[in-house]
Amino acid sequence: MKLTIHQAFLPHHDAEASLAFYRDLLGFEVRNDVEYGGQHWLTLGPAGQPDVSIVLQPPFADPGISPEERETISAMMAKGTYAGINLATPDLAGTFDRLQAGDTEVVQEPTDQPWGVRDCAVRDPAGSMIRIFEVT
């Protein structure tokens, strides 16, 4: 069996702020931009990985979400505990500097971790945790 990662989903609540972060700061390509029923979905991905995308979706797109679930999701997004993704780069320092210059919320500056990686952590505009690992 051969499986690959095709898409990962993260919530967003502001398409323009998400584009500024993922497209303008991280350099991802916009692959799809869809508005439907007053909601907005964005699909973006790294230029060198055309088969891998992040889909930024409205957090309440599922009509079956209860008012209590909406409240829980909103609270978790505000705390930055609802969603996250790990990215990798050969230039962690340069990537981190670019994110800092873009006024990104920094959770952790580049650090050598005890398990053998160097990484940093930031939050995207929706509060999702973005960890970026240095790879050689």
Side-chain angles (χ1 to χ4, degrees):
M1 178 179 347
K2 180 181 177 184
L3 296 174
T4 60
I5 296 172
H6 182 65
Q7 296 176 325
F9 287 77
L10 293 175
H12 86 94
H13 50 68
D14 182 334
E16 291 306 314
S18 293
L19 284 171
F21 181 80
Y22 287 97
R23 181 192 61 203
D24 302 340
L25 283 176
L26 293 181
F28 284 10
E29 300 174 326
V30 176
R31 305 218 172 118
N32 208 353
D33 186 336
V34 176
E35 287 194 51
Y36 179 76
Q39 299 187 69
H40 203 138
W41 285 259
L42 295 165
T43 304
L44 302 102
Q49 292 182 288
D51 295 333
V52 179
S53 298
I54 296 172
V55 179
L56 302 175
Q57 67 178 1
F60 312 121
D62 183 335
I65 293 175
S66 71
E68 294 81 16
E69 290 168 324
R70 282 178 177 259
E71 189 175 307
T72 299
I73 291 169
S74 294
M76 291 179 73
M77 286 177 67
K79 285 176 48 179
T81 58
Y82 184 66
I85 194 165
N86 293 346
L87 304 175
T89 180
D91 182 15
L92 184 63
T95 300
F96 183 76
D97 289 346
R98 183 177 171 110
L99 289 166
Q100 268 195 311
D103 200 30
T104 302
E105 180 185 347
V106 173
V107 176
Q108 174 207 300
E109 294 189 6
T111 303
D112 291 320
Q113 300 293 354
W115 53 88
V117 301
R118 181 167 180 78
D119 72 350
C120 69
V122 298
R123 295 202 195 287
D124 78 359
S128 296
M129 178 72 71
I130 311 297
R131 294 197 75 82
I132 303 173
F133 293 74
E134 186 165 62
V135 294
T136 53

